[in-house]
Amino acid sequence: MTAVEVNGRRYARPPAKTAVICLDGVDPRYLEDAFERTLVPRLAELTYLEARSQLPSFTNPNNLSIVTGAPPAVHGLPGNHYLAPDGEEVHLTDPVALRAPSIHAAFEDTGIPVLAVTTKDKLRLLLGAGHVPSVSAERAAGLELDGSGPVSAFVPRPVPGIYDWDCSHYALELGLALAARFDVELLYVSLTDFVQHSAAPREQLSDAYLVRLDELVGDYLDDGWRLGLVADHGMNPKPQIRFLGDVLADAGVDGAHVILPITDPYVVHHAALGSACWIHVDDTQLDRARDVVSAVPGVEDVLTRDEAAAELSLPPDRIGDLVVLADADTALGRAEREHDLSQLHGSLRSHGGRHEQRVPLLLSERPSDAGRELLEQGATNADVHWLLLGEGA
Ligand SMILES: [Zn+2]
């Protein structure tokens, strides 16, 4: 039995094929409501638990925590985006930015077949770090594994667009088909949260999403997969937007630079507005900036770089001089003129702060005593692989 040690934890070779699925943006309230209405009978076969996301509650930091089993301080990605030392804003999509190996890369090194499937292509290279075969639904028509032709040929329907309601389901279909073809033992599938940004629990769109998700989870279970499902973050309506770039300029804090770590190439669903941001400001203005931002209604925490690195387990060199978290109803922006709100489908729903930290965790296997102990202490989404494969778990 091969075991690997990754980022300070030991994982045993999967005793049977094992898949972890990241339910992007699936707030626990979607599932709680669906369980109540018996909308998702196959998901109801799993043990339903709760966990916490990493902060800020954004997609990339949490996906990387799920696959490395470690917080952003270890893997190095606190957001989708950061201000590099040369003053350039950089998307954190290149694997050179990663500071820790994934669990999949460690198993791949020992010759165990692994695969990562992401819906959005932005995660593909990060999940592929360490020679992990990785494909995306978004680019399925243009990607191959082992020269076997475009991976889209393995799924008998056209590739949906990235803003179609069932693009996440396509990623799950792709995962199941490719895993069968390549005898994958450890599979990771990451969904996208376009539906959750657009629709609240009980809306027609989110019901359609959940019903199809449930069927696919049934397909995995019927095919003999051990499953762990966890979300990267929750989701809340954000009726209030605070443009901190404007607030700081109006207060005469010169040269402050607001970075929105939610920023990515896909802005249709959130217009780059989330409930966490970094502020870069020089030392002489730091206290003044902190006072100004702390007084903004809806702002919940304003932490210095050192405080945030310690309390939230973030890499200090990739966050701001200040780290700002907003409340459940509030999203943060830079200057109002820099955000194109006309692109939003309906009202803003987003994430990033402490109020989107509650995430669902569903397991097909009963946790061991050590696993139950961890769950009682409060697990995070970084624990999902350990709960399924951890030695002693
Ligand atoms: Zn997400």
Side-chain angles (χ1 to χ4, degrees), residues 22-26 57-60 62-63 80 120 122-123 190-194 196-197 231-235 262 264 269-270 351:
C22 175
L23 303 172
D24 197 328
V26 176
S57 47
F58 290 134
T59 297
N60 283 16
N62 279 281
N63 267 273
N80 304 341
K120 286 180 179 175
K122 74 168 175 182
L123 267 168
S190 187
L191 310 186
T192 185
D193 58 6
F194 173 68
Q196 292 70 31
H197 274 285
D232 53 349
H233 52 78
M235 190 70 71
I262 193 174
D264 70 14
H269 45 324
H270 53 57
H351 53 94

